Amino acid sequence: MRTRLALIGLGTLVGVYGAWLLLSRQDFDQLRSVAVWFVAGVLLHDVLLSGVVIALGLVGSRLLPMSLRRPATIALIVIGTVTVAAVPVLGRFGARADNATLLDRNYIVGWVVFAVLVLGALALPWFRGWFRGSFRSHLNRRDKA
């Protein structure tokens, strides 16, 4: 309980410090942009992403085998959340021709690598279980013969 209270206190202090930095160092237009992104992020996550996850979860529960449902749900939530957060860089919003240092990487390749790593990490235990089950069934068939 003490650890939880300490973490809540530390998080509150960091949040207050961040709010103070935001309010003391930004002009009104920047604060308005922050407010727009804050509201848009919440709406994108809570309305769009949650709706897509629920719809795909319903479809997946009917189509996927039981062993793949949990990894598919985790992959959908992780990749979907990161995709929503990465929309500005994936769409290259804010890139300017006069400043080549802004958005100077191929973020789509980075997103694809991230998605492949997430899917690979989630598929690894499934493949291991499938291989063990396949190997055991092979041994059982050999023992019966």
Side-chain angles (χ1 to χ4, degrees), residues 47-80:
V47 175
L48 181 68
L49 183 62
S50 298
V52 169
V53 167
I54 289 170
L56 290 176
L58 289 173
V59 171
S61 67
R62 298 189 185 271
L63 298 177
L64 291 175
M66 185 67 102
S67 62
L68 285 179
R69 290 180 187 167
R70 183 176 295 166
T73 303
I74 293 170
L76 182 65
I77 291 171
V78 170
I79 293 173

Side-chain angles (χ1 to χ4, degrees), residues 83-101:
T83 302
V84 168
V87 162
V89 293
L90 292 173
R92 301 189 59 78
F93 306 122
R96 295 189 338 211
D98 62 336
N99 189 348
T101 60

Side-chain angles (χ1 to χ4, degrees), residues 3-52:
T3 304
R4 185 175 295 172
L5 288 175
L7 289 174
I8 290 172
L10 180 64
T12 302
L13 285 175
V14 170
V16 168
Y17 179 67
W20 179 76
L21 286 177
L22 178 71
L23 294 174
S24 65
R25 297 185 181 192
Q26 307 294 322
D27 61 14
F28 181 74
D29 287 337
Q30 292 170 324
L31 290 175
R32 189 176 59 207
S33 295
V34 168
V36 167
W37 275 107
F38 181 74
V39 171
V42 169
L43 288 177
L44 280 174
H45 184 272
D46 290 352
V47 175
L48 181 68
L49 183 62
S50 298
V52 169

